[in-house]
Amino acid sequence: MEIRERILVAAAAVFAEVGFRGATTRRIAMEAGVNEVTLFRHFGSKDRLLGEAIQAANSRPSGSPLPERPTNPRKELVAWAREQMIRLRVNRNLIRTCMAEVAERPEIVERPGGQTTIAATQLRSYLTQLKKHGFTTARFDPATAAPMLLGALFADAMGRDVMPDMYPNDPDAAIRTYVDLFLRGIGVARPAKRRTKEPV
Amino acid sequence: MEIRERILVAAAAVFAEVGFRGATTRRIAMEAGVNEVTLFRHFGSKDRLLGEAIQAANSRPSGSPLPERPTNPRKELVAWAREQMIRLRVNRNLIRTCMAEVAERPEIVERPGGQTTIAATQLRSYLTQLKKHGFTTARFDPATAAPMLLGALFADAMGRDVMPDMYPNDPDAAIRTYVDLFLRGIGVARPAKRRTKEPV
DNA sequence: AACGAGAGCAAGTACCTACTTGCTTGCAGC
DNA sequence: GCTGCAAGCAAGTAGGTACTTGCTCTCGTT
């Protein structure tokens, strides 16, 4: 790995753990295994370094999208939700720190919602397709329903470790519960699976 | 207001905005309108001051509980969710900052979930009563379903300002959407209202 | 071998922070 | 009026931080 890349990764990791002020250049240098002055040779200032590091960390590719044509809503949504949850958990500290610091430093700390907005768009489209292909006839707006499932996943990922009493079941069981409740909430019943198989 | 109280309120406000390190004793003193040395005369150290301030701020009374006996689930849940949302929004910065900093400073920064755990317990009981009184015959576990609604509310309160693209409707409409989807998800249909009225 | 680039090392600068110390002032109670 | 208490003010201490500067070393290229 190139030194510059190593510095960026170290800076994002330290920031995620101890925030902007706690991410001293000394600490970042140690984490990256370089001399402190090297940070300034590559990036000029702490602001620039952390701005780039946070942006790079928030740009990691998201997982597989939902299929354009739904065939098995529960299976597809559970699989997708699992990937979203992994992404959220892996980035939990970074997301939490960005949320806490974005108001104070909008030019440096990127809004943490980029990937989540992409997920919301995907889910919205998927829900629209569910309606279009007759998996549900219930009345709901995909755009306003999507935040329900995403919100539950987000809160679980961000809060489970600090609010353990609120989450009595294990993480994967929780995902299945959220998806099941959500699908029923939007009128997609379990037997929907049989309905798609019959025309075949 | 007494000086000591003024200091605690100021300390919590500054912490919520700029975190532990950013909450310099100079800044807290200015916010409280006292001399910096007064902080130390009352609290001895910055750690002690912020520990007490955060605890006091996190101990604000929560809103009205859900009724022990459900009569109108939608109405009752919407009203309750509104109150939860107000609480979460008022404390948004504090909660976000506590979540970001609790891992680094567990003795000082209180886990932010006290009131939320109380809410989860209330909702759990309420859902149990819904089942008991026949508002739903669907299969779901109140303990694992509660985090779905609470999570959506929590994520909305914590994330709406930093992830506006994810929330297309206004906050109150969103609350009603979450409650509607949730009730349907646990098998409480809208007509449940008529069912409770007929015996009268 | 010579040169240039990049990184390490050490020392230093200017500023910031939690906290201390000595003194002064204002107010309440006797 | 006198005393004690609480708070303000100013100066200071010891440690920390982003950043700079001057020098040295290593490695790759010509």
Side-chain angles (χ1 to χ4, degrees), chain B residues 10-152:
Chain B
V14 174
F15 169 80
E17 196 181 326
V18 292
F20 187 91
R21 286 185 187 84
T24 62
T25 51
R26 173 173 300 194
R27 182 163 174 173
I28 292 168
M30 279 171 53
E31 180 79 27
V34 302
N35 193 275
E36 191 177 350
V37 72
T38 307
L39 307 188
F40 296 97
R41 285 183 176 147
H42 281 265
F43 297 96
S45 71
K46 178 182 172 180
D47 279 8
R48 189 115 26 94
L49 165 58
L50 278 174
E52 286 191 38
I54 293 166
Q55 187 173 42
N58 277 328
S59 305
R60 285 175 198 153
S62 48
S64 333
L66 283 161
E68 289 194 10
R69 170 79 190 241
T71 51
N72 183 333
R74 185 180 189 261
K75 186 175 166 190
E76 284 155 359
L77 270 186
V78 167
W80 181 81
R82 277 185 181 135
E83 287 205 8
Q84 293 302 318
M85 187 62 87
I86 288 171
R87 171 182 65 87
L88 289 167
R89 281 208 204 101
V90 165
N91 295 313
R92 188 188 60 197
N93 286 344
L94 180 65
I95 292 169
R96 289 200 305 215
T97 305
C98 284
M99 287 185 79
E101 303 221 10
V102 68
E104 196 189 348
R105 258 175 266 278
E107 315 83 19
I108 297 163
V109 183
E110 192 175 87
R111 290 174 168 235
Q115 300 296 334
T116 300
T117 303
I118 292 171
T121 306
Q122 287 177 13
L123 184 56
R124 207 177 291 168
S125 300
Y126 184 80
L127 298 182
T128 304
Q129 294 302 314
L130 283 188
K131 284 186 140 194
K132 188 175 172 183
H133 292 98
F135 284 99
T136 172
T137 52
R139 287 203 201 169
F140 73 91
D141 172 20
T144 56
M148 176 84 172
L149 179 58
L150 278 171

Side-chain angles (χ1 to χ4, degrees), chain A residues 139-157:
Chain A
R139 289 202 197 168
F140 72 91
D141 172 19
T144 56
M148 176 81 172
L149 179 59
L150 278 171
L153 295 172
F154 183 84
D156 190 314

